[in-house]
Amino acid sequence: MKPSIPQGTRDFDASTMRKRKFILDNIRTVFELYGFEPLETPAFENLDTLTGKYGDEGDKLIFKILNNGLDNPAKENEVRKSFDSILAGKNDKGITERALRYDLTIPFARYVAMNFGKLTVPFKRYQMQPVWRADRPQKGRYREFYQCDADVAGSRSLLSDVEFVNIYRAVFKRLKMEVEIKINSRKLLSALAQVCNAGDLTSVTVAIDKLDKIGIDKVADELKTNGLDDTQIATIRGYLAISGNNEEKLNSIETILGKTDDGKKGIEELRFILSYINSASDLKNVSLDFTLARGLNYYTGIIYEVKACGVEMGSIGGGGRYDDLTGLFGLPNIPGVGISFGVDRIYDVMDELNLFPGNIKQATSVLFMNLGEEESRVAFREMQLLREAGISAELFYEAAKLDKQFKYATKKNISFAIIIGSEEIKEQISVIKNLNTGQQEEIPLIKLCSYFAERVHTFQ
Amino acid sequence: MKPSIPQGTRDFDASTMRKRKFILDNIRTVFELYGFEPLETPAFENLDTLTGKYGDEGDKLIFKILNNGLDNPAKENEVRKSFDSILAGKNDKGITERALRYDLTIPFARYVAMNFGKLTVPFKRYQMQPVWRADRPQKGRYREFYQCDADVAGSRSLLSDVEFVNIYRAVFKRLKMEVEIKINSRKLLSALAQVCNAGDLTSVTVAIDKLDKIGIDKVADELKTNGLDDTQIATIRGYLAISGNNEEKLNSIETILGKTDDGKKGIEELRFILSYINSASDLKNVSLDFTLARGLNYYTGIIYEVKACGVEMGSIGGGGRYDDLTGLFGLPNIPGVGISFGVDRIYDVMDELNLFPGNIKQATSVLFMNLGEEESRVAFREMQLLREAGISAELFYEAAKLDKQFKYATKKNISFAIIIGSEEIKEQISVIKNLNTGQQEEIPLIKLCSYFAERVHTFQ
């Protein structure tokens, strides 16, 4: 049998794991600095927690878990019975009643609804876990991938919206990634639909959402197909053409939408948020973008999107404010706001731009060469002292040829090799070879810990 | 709809997450110190990677994933067809071809077999991920739980067996847990079966494995049922009754099994391993236990098991040496040795014995009170400076009554509250209240960062 892994999934080897950990640790640290608390939910939920939440297309992509025993031919009758009742639409628990997590938002909503009485409100939680989608795999699209979400539930304060702009800035500053953070308000899109009498906000939003991909003319075509006339489309074209710096954009939008309630409110909110992004020099990567629509319909206020500079890549983060997080689970009127980081894309950008720090490649710092039974007993004792001092170390398991041992060190990116032979034992010294520079020096055994404590990463 | 989660699964809230992270981080650090490298495999594998590896009982507990589209009544014919062919035993891909990870060993073996040419051998990997089993849920047994494994693949050196005794000691020393590490060799059980002419090693092993649960007399009964006579059972009773310190035990076992090849070899290996556990004072928690059998049949050499002292609890870790890791995946003769940590049980022991350090409860360190629009702008600026200095801080989102704001601080275990009112802004100071002691003091705004850097946890 030739082993393989399922289409659209990946094994993460040590080098990839370390780079991913660098990203995840930085995101987690910023979430913690901002007072968000960790949450983890199970990999699978009850099927009815998930179905009907992601639209028809989404529902099809949910991985469902087979009820136990149903793949067992010995239970033929039972299987046929439950199958018949499913097909008759009588029993939706017949064959499957659990499904893999599709995103982190619905499990979060389910958790808040289940535990609301016990939570500290506003409830600030973050969650970093894999999700699964039965999508057709392609470059950059996987069937198992990580999401990193932070949300505030239970606050209408705009200060909670401000948090997320700063979280994005703080994370990407730590990752040394240049990004553009775009913000808009769904209220402006609402006002636009109102001003041009478009009636249905959704069709306008959906068309605008495609601007990046299909261009303004095709958006106009789509709006026409949706029944808008030339005047209406001209208004939308005027809206989408607004340019300048943030202040200029706000002034322009005011002339178009400033007379509607939604327009006034949206502009006021954006002004408030920008006023909180304190110093002008920091503001340069936060820009108003009225063409930003975000596909999902549940957003009602501020929306965010982040793009990496200098590479071709879709958005690496996004989010927004929604009015009703938990209504579907029987707890109405809990507003919220939150964002997500696209870890796989961030990884790809950092890899392409070579932004990962060099020292995260390091595994073992020191390899003790194995020169035989007696010598390795001394080496072993010294190695244990290094490990206890927080310095990662290995003793080669066999007294193999030194060539082979050095090759092992090279393949594992080990920086130092230590040779302790019978001569060295007599003198209580060791020969240390720096594998990056090739330099060698003799160091007394008693000084090994302090020697390496100054030169390599130590674990606490 | 009343939300719930699937039986046997759990949500992990912030306090539980932090405690679990404390355990996982310490295990990870020790794995890294010992030169093991991280690996993560997908949550689901191809079904045929998993089936047939865990015995008939295990196979029944594997969660299988429904092939996509098969729960869709519109596809009735397709569903019926594939169902018919499954039931006829013709098509095992009909309804499911993927399944959730059941342990970390088989995915590791599959990974090694797939990637052997690229690996640095001996390959030292660790893996810390959840696994899923459709077991009947009960106290301490879940359908989703974490495993933490470390294995060395591709080395027969006993030095690699020695690693794991030291890893156990290092981890539990960090966790401040008192444990007993038991070791034995499967070779001695083999020798025992040979010496008493028991023929089938497995039935002896399986019976001995139950010693803890059913006692020596019932083990003897079971052996009798298996066809052993009184002389044979007397030999096994003699073996199981061996006591004393490690040296005494080795001497006793030598008189019983020292004449067989397996016996000699097993004793020699145990002596070697004990000789490497260097200082006598450290040895006190490592004990030979000839009654240790470990249920799984694939072990062939040293076996390990860890028990927590001072609590009633099954083993919190175990492992051993096996001869053939990847044979089932077409790559024969790769020996290995490895161990596992039972994170859920370790958590329960530490909770019961109150061993978690107090400071891991901490989320936000500092809460800025919201006293109104103007005041909160100053507070916000100061808060961002603290966050940039690695001090976790929040500004209460609304200018609510101070009572309510203090209550939020208490519920979130926040240590310090900062009040910056209009008077304080004039004088550029702040009033800091220590929420643990009730003490208050005035600190100039300019000194806030250094004040907290000395008093709370800072993130790097």
Side-chain angles (χ1 to χ4, degrees):
Chain A
M1 169 194 171
K2 204 172 155 55
S4 63
I5 52 171
Q7 235 199 334
T9 68
R10 296 163 288 173
D11 291 317
F12 294 117
D13 67 6
S15 145
T16 312
M17 283 284 292
R18 293 211 163 88
K19 291 187 206 163
R20 286 173 67 87
K21 186 169 187 296
F22 178 77
I23 296 171
L24 295 173
D25 283 351
N26 273 296
I27 296 174
R28 183 185 298 109
T29 294
V30 172
F31 287 161
E32 291 272 344
L33 280 171
Y34 278 68
F36 288 75
E37 302 208 277
L39 173 71
E40 278 188 11
T41 61
F44 50 77
E45 295 276 347
N46 291 324
L47 184 57
D48 51 10
T49 299
L50 304 189
T51 44
K53 311 299 190 302
Y54 305 107
D56 287 349
E57 284 310 303
D59 273 4
K60 283 184 201 151
L61 303 184
I62 294 173
F63 277 114
K64 288 147 199 112
I65 295 171
L66 196 61
N67 280 352
N68 228 253
L70 284 190
D71 60 331
N72 180 358
K75 289 195 174 178
E76 170 159 353
N77 277 336
E78 213 170 295
V79 175
R80 284 199 184 278
K81 232 166 59 191
S82 50
F83 233 68
D84 285 340
S85 62
I86 298 162
L87 293 171
K90 281 183 203 154
N91 174 11
D92 57 355
K93 288 212 168 172
I95 189 170
T96 169
E97 53 198 272
R98 299 178 202 89
L100 291 181
R101 189 165 57 217
Y102 180 88
D103 73 358
L104 302 178
T105 306
I106 292 299
F108 171 56
R110 189 267 306 151
Y111 177 83
V112 171
M114 267 178 79
N115 298 282
F116 197 70
K118 291 185 288 180
L119 301 178
T120 308
V121 181
F123 181 54
K124 300 169 75 175
R125 87 87 175 74
Y126 71 87
Q127 194 167 349
M128 308 168 75
Q129 291 190 278
V131 301
W132 298 272
R133 295 184 185 179
D135 233 327
R136 188 182 300 274
Q138 53 178 257
K139 191 177 181 307
R141 193 201 283 162
Y142 304 100
R143 290 186 159 176
E144 173 180 70
F145 57 97
Y146 256 71
Q147 289 194 335
C148 296
D149 281 19
D151 289 82
V152 178
S155 172
R156 289 180 205 280
S157 163
L158 282 173
L159 283 172
S160 62
D161 299 69
V162 171
E163 295 279 52
F164 295 104
V165 179
N166 284 298
I167 285 176
Y168 274 137
R169 289 163 67 192
V171 167
F172 291 112
K173 190 174 165 193
R174 283 173 164 262
L175 298 180
K176 299 198 167 38
M177 264 179 81
E178 265 188 75
V179 296
E180 191 188 356
I181 303 166
K182 298 174 179 183
I183 59 174
N184 192 15
S185 169
R186 269 293 177 97
K187 294 199 172 77
L188 297 185
L189 293 166
S190 216
L192 176 66
Q194 200 189 327
V195 160
C196 66
N197 276 313
D200 179 21
L201 168 63
T202 307
S203 68
V204 175
T205 308
V206 168
I208 291 180
D209 203 29
K210 296 180 186 161
L211 185 65
D212 260 7
K213 282 179 201 142
I214 62 177
I216 178 69
D217 291 331
K218 290 212 168 124
V219 168
D221 289 349
E222 185 165 329
L223 291 168
K224 200 160 192 170
T225 313
N226 289 344
L228 271 65
D229 64 25
D230 288 350
T231 325
Q232 291 172 319
I233 292 173
T235 310
I236 293 173
R237 275 183 181 269
Y239 170 95
L240 293 177
I242 288 174
S243 64
N245 64 29
N246 290 337
E247 195 49 38
E248 290 162 358
K249 283 181 186 167
L250 281 171
N251 293 335
S252 305
I253 201 86
E254 211 144 21
T255 63
I256 307 184
L257 306 176
K259 292 199 183 81
T260 64
D261 283 352
D262 277 343
K264 259 185 225 146
K265 190 83 187 132
I267 292 164
E268 188 189 322
E269 288 180 359
L270 289 172
R271 281 200 194 280
F272 180 90
I273 287 169
L274 290 175
S275 78
Y276 258 91
I277 295 166
N278 31 14
S279 78
S281 69
D282 274 333
L283 238 178
K284 69 175 191 294
N285 64 347
V286 180
S287 59
L288 293 179
D289 182 350
F290 300 135
T291 73
L292 180 65
R294 303 277 311 152
L296 292 165
N297 274 316
Y298 57 77
Y299 292 126
T300 51
I302 297 295
I303 46 183
Y304 317 86
E305 199 162 278
V306 185
K307 286 257 192 188
C309 303
V311 284
E312 279 298 315
M313 177 74 75
S315 71
I316 54 174
R321 173 170 281 281
Y322 39 88
D323 271 341
D324 185 6
L325 175 67
T326 51
L328 285 167
F329 297 108
L331 181 71
N333 298 321
I334 305 293
V337 53
I339 56 168
S340 191
F341 284 85
V343 177
D344 289 289
R345 286 184 175 176
I346 293 172
Y347 182 98
D348 288 344
V349 172
M350 292 187 65
D351 221 30
E352 188 173 334
L353 300 180
N354 212 5
L355 295 178
F356 288 108
N359 61 2
I360 61 171
K361 269 184 271 173
Q362 186 188 48
T364 305
S365 298
V366 181
L367 179 68
F368 287 82
M369 309 303 260
N370 190 327
L371 304 182
E373 170 71 22
E374 283 316 304
E375 293 86 345
S376 66
R377 282 189 184 269
V378 176
F380 183 86
R381 196 189 59 212
E382 297 300 325
M383 171 177 71
Q384 287 302 115
L385 293 174
L386 288 192
R387 286 170 168 177
E388 275 162 36
I391 296 152
S392 63
E394 291 183 58
L395 165 63
F396 198 80
Y397 288 142
E398 271 140 80
K401 280 185 185 161
L402 284 191
D403 262 15
K404 188 176 173 189
Q405 299 191 39
F406 276 119
K407 208 169 159 191
Y408 178 83
T410 309
K411 282 179 90 172
K412 277 192 94 166
N413 264 313
I414 297 173
S415 307
F416 294 95
I418 301 191
I419 297 163
I420 304 177
S422 49
E423 285 305 309
E424 283 80 16
I425 294 175
K426 261 184 227 151
E427 296 177 47
Q428 289 291 296
I429 60 160
S430 63
V431 176
I432 299 180
K433 182 162 184 171
N434 182 322
L435 298 174
N436 301 318
T437 64
Q439 278 186 317
Q440 274 188 204
E441 54 186 323
E442 286 184 358
I443 300 289
L445 293 181
I446 206 164
K447 292 201 171 156
L448 278 180
C449 277
S450 56
Y451 180 88
F452 288 112
E454 289 167 14
R455 284 166 176 82
V456 301
H457 171 76
T458 58
F459 291 87
Q460 287 187 330
Chain B
M1 170 193 170
K2 206 172 155 51
S4 63
I5 51 171
Q7 235 200 332
T9 67
R10 296 162 289 173
D11 291 318
F12 294 116
D13 66 6
S15 144
T16 312
M17 283 284 292
R18 293 212 163 87
K19 292 187 205 163
R20 285 173 66 88
K21 186 168 187 296
F22 177 77
I23 297 171
L24 295 173
D25 283 351
N26 274 295
I27 296 174
R28 184 186 297 107
T29 294
V30 172
F31 286 162
E32 292 271 344
L33 280 171
Y34 278 69
F36 288 75
E37 301 208 278
L39 173 72
E40 278 187 11
T41 61
F44 50 77
E45 295 277 346
N46 291 324
L47 184 56
D48 52 10
T49 299
L50 303 189
T51 43
K53 311 298 190 300
Y54 305 106
D56 286 349
E57 283 311 303
D59 273 3
K60 284 183 200 150
L61 304 183
I62 295 173
F63 277 114
K64 288 145 199 116
I65 295 171
L66 196 60
N67 280 352
N68 228 254
L70 284 190
D71 60 331
N72 180 358
K75 289 195 176 178
E76 169 160 353
N77 277 336
E78 212 170 296
V79 174
R80 283 199 186 278
K81 231 166 62 190
S82 50
F83 234 67
D84 285 341
S85 63
I86 297 163
L87 293 172
K90 282 183 204 150
N91 174 10
D92 57 355
K93 286 212 169 175
I95 190 169
T96 170
E97 53 197 272
R98 299 177 202 88
L100 291 181
R101 188 165 57 215
Y102 180 88
D103 73 358
L104 302 179
T105 306
I106 292 299
F108 171 56
R110 189 267 305 148
Y111 176 83
V112 171
M114 267 177 78
N115 299 281
F116 197 71
K118 289 185 290 181
L119 301 179
T120 308
V121 180
F123 181 54
K124 300 168 76 173
R125 88 84 174 77
Y126 70 87
Q127 194 167 352
M128 307 169 74
Q129 290 189 281
V131 301
W132 297 272
R133 295 185 184 177
D135 233 327
R136 187 181 299 276
Q138 53 177 257
K139 191 176 182 309
R141 193 201 284 161
Y142 304 100
R143 289 184 160 177
E144 173 180 70
F145 57 97
Y146 256 73
Q147 288 195 335
C148 296
D149 283 18
D151 289 82
V152 177
S155 171
R156 290 181 204 281
S157 162
L158 282 173
L159 283 172
S160 62
D161 299 68
V162 171
E163 297 276 54
F164 295 104
V165 179
N166 284 299
I167 284 176
Y168 273 137
R169 288 162 67 192
V171 167
F172 290 112
K173 190 174 167 192
R174 281 172 164 264
L175 299 179
K176 299 199 169 35
M177 266 179 80
E178 266 189 72
V179 297
E180 192 188 356
I181 303 165
K182 298 175 181 183
I183 58 173
N184 193 16
S185 169
R186 269 293 178 95
K187 294 199 173 77
L188 296 185
L189 293 165
S190 222
L192 177 66
Q194 200 189 328
V195 161
C196 68
N197 275 313
D200 181 19
L201 168 62
T202 308
S203 68
V204 174
T205 309
V206 167
I208 291 179
D209 204 29
K210 297 180 185 161
L211 185 65
D212 260 7
K213 282 179 201 140
I214 63 176
I216 178 70
D217 292 331
K218 288 210 168 125
V219 168
D221 289 349
E222 186 166 328
L223 291 168
K224 198 158 191 170
T225 313
N226 289 346
L228 271 66
D229 65 25
D230 288 349
T231 325
Q232 291 171 319
I233 293 173
T235 311
I236 293 173
R237 273 181 181 268
Y239 170 95
L240 294 176
I242 288 174
S243 65
N245 64 29
N246 290 337
E247 194 48 41
E248 291 162 356
K249 283 181 186 166
L250 282 171
N251 293 335
S252 305
I253 201 85
E254 210 144 21
T255 62
I256 306 183
L257 305 177
K259 293 203 180 78
T260 63
D261 282 353
D262 277 343
K264 257 185 225 146
K265 191 84 186 129
I267 292 164
E268 187 190 323
E269 288 179 0
L270 289 171
R271 279 197 196 281
F272 179 89
I273 287 170
L274 290 175
S275 77
Y276 258 91
I277 296 166
N278 31 14
S279 77
S281 70
D282 274 334
L283 237 176
K284 70 177 191 293
N285 66 347
V286 180
S287 58
L288 292 179
D289 182 350
F290 300 134
T291 73
L292 180 64
R294 303 278 310 153
L296 293 166
N297 274 316
Y298 57 77
Y299 292 126
T300 50
I302 297 296
I303 47 183
Y304 318 86
E305 198 162 282
V306 185
K307 286 260 191 184
C309 304
V311 285
E312 280 298 314
M313 179 71 76
S315 71
I316 54 175
R321 174 169 280 280
Y322 40 87
D323 271 340
D324 186 6
L325 174 66
T326 51
L328 285 167
F329 297 108
L331 181 71
N333 298 322
I334 306 293
V337 53
I339 56 168
S340 192
F341 284 85
V343 177
D344 289 290
R345 286 184 174 176
I346 292 171
Y347 182 98
D348 288 345
V349 171
M350 292 186 67
D351 221 29
E352 189 173 334
L353 300 179
N354 212 6
L355 295 177
F356 288 107
N359 61 1
I360 61 172
K361 269 183 271 174
Q362 187 189 44
T364 305
S365 297
V366 181
L367 180 69
F368 287 83
M369 308 305 258
N370 189 325
L371 304 182
E373 170 70 24
E374 283 316 304
E375 292 86 346
S376 65
R377 282 190 185 269
V378 177
F380 183 86
R381 197 190 59 212
E382 297 298 328
M383 172 178 70
Q384 288 301 117
L385 293 174
L386 288 192
R387 287 169 168 177
E388 275 162 35
I391 296 153
S392 62
E394 292 182 59
L395 165 63
F396 198 80
Y397 289 142
E398 270 139 82
K401 282 186 184 157
L402 285 191
D403 263 15
K404 189 177 172 186
Q405 299 191 38
F406 276 120
K407 209 169 156 189
Y408 177 84
T410 309
K411 282 179 91 172
K412 276 190 95 165
N413 263 312
I414 297 173
S415 307
F416 294 95
I418 300 192
I419 297 163
I420 304 177
S422 49
E423 285 306 308
E424 284 79 18
I425 293 175
K426 264 184 225 150
E427 297 177 44
Q428 290 289 296
I429 59 160
S430 64
V431 175
I432 299 180
K433 183 164 182 170
N434 181 321
L435 298 174
N436 301 317
T437 66
Q439 278 185 316
Q440 275 189 202
E441 53 186 324
E442 287 183 358
I443 300 290
L445 293 182
I446 205 165
K447 292 202 171 156
L448 278 181
C449 277
S450 56
Y451 179 89
F452 288 113
E454 289 167 13
R455 285 167 176 82
V456 303
H457 170 77
T458 59
F459 291 88
Q460 287 186 330

